[in-house]
Amino acid sequence: MYLLHTPRLQLRRLTDSDDDARFTLTLLNDPDFHRFIGDRGVHSLEDARNYLLQGPIAMYQSHGFGMYLVELKDGTPIGQAGLLRRNGLDDVDIGFAFLPQYRGQGFARESATAVMDWGKQQLALKRIVAIASPDNQRSIHLLEKLGLEKERPVTLPGSDEQLLLMGWNQSS
C-alpha cells in the first residue's frame, strides 16, 4: 500500500476516497497553496474527488507516478509530495505541499528527498526539475537542498505567471 517510507513518514497513492478528497480539499484551499501554487478551482468534496481522478490518479495510470499522500507513521495526512508530468516542461517535475501546522519541521525535505531518490533509482531519471514562484523562498531553499539549481524563468501554457525553473542533472 505504501510506496515510500522514511523515518517519520509514509507515502502512498492518492485515491478518490472521501478521506483523501477531504484532505485534498483542505490542502488545496490553504491560503499559501493559492498564493504559491494557484487556485485549482477545488471548492467542494466533489471538486476534490474530480481533481484526484483527473490529476494524480490519471497520472499514475499514464506515467506510473504522480503526487502521493504524505502521512505521519500513525496515518495522519500532512501533505503531498511526488513527481509530475506537466504541460510546458520537458522533464519530470517534483512537487510538494503541506498543511500549515506541518511546515518548518523537515517533513517536506524528508518526503521530497525520498521522492527524488525513488525517481533517480527506481525510475532511472537523469534529470528532475521543479518550478517555484520567485517569492516562495522556502520552497526554493528546499529545492536547492535537494540538489536542484536555479536555471531560468519559465511560463507554463495557459498562464502569464513567470516562475523559476530549477533543475537537477545526473552527473556523468
Side-chain angles (χ1 to χ4, degrees), residues 54-112:
Q54 295 168 15
I57 295 169
M59 195 162 293
Y60 303 148
Q61 294 168 350
S62 62
H63 298 292
F65 55 80
M67 291 299 287
Y68 300 102
L69 183 68
V70 179
E71 298 175 340
L72 298 175
K73 291 289 186 174
D74 68 4
T76 302
I78 65 169
Q80 294 181 4
L83 298 171
L84 305 156
R85 271 283 178 203
R86 196 183 301 267
N87 288 338
L89 295 179
D90 295 331
D91 302 292
V92 173
D93 170 33
I94 187 167
F96 46 83
F98 286 79
L99 293 175
Q101 62 268 37
Y102 298 102
R103 295 180 195 144
Q105 299 174 54
F107 294 127
R109 184 175 185 180
E110 189 173 325
S111 61

Side-chain angles (χ1 to χ4, degrees), residues 5-23:
H5 294 271
T6 72
R8 301 183 295 166
L9 306 170
Q10 51 200 18
L11 285 73
R12 68 167 173 82
R13 285 185 172 197
L14 288 150
T15 69
D16 63 346
S17 70
D18 285 349
D19 287 345
D20 285 4
R22 267 192 290 282
F23 176 77

Side-chain angles (χ1 to χ4, degrees), residues 42-54:
V42 176
H43 303 293
S44 69
L45 199 58
E46 192 59 32
D47 290 344
R49 187 171 283 105
N50 288 332
Y51 173 88
L52 289 167
L53 288 168
Q54 295 168 15

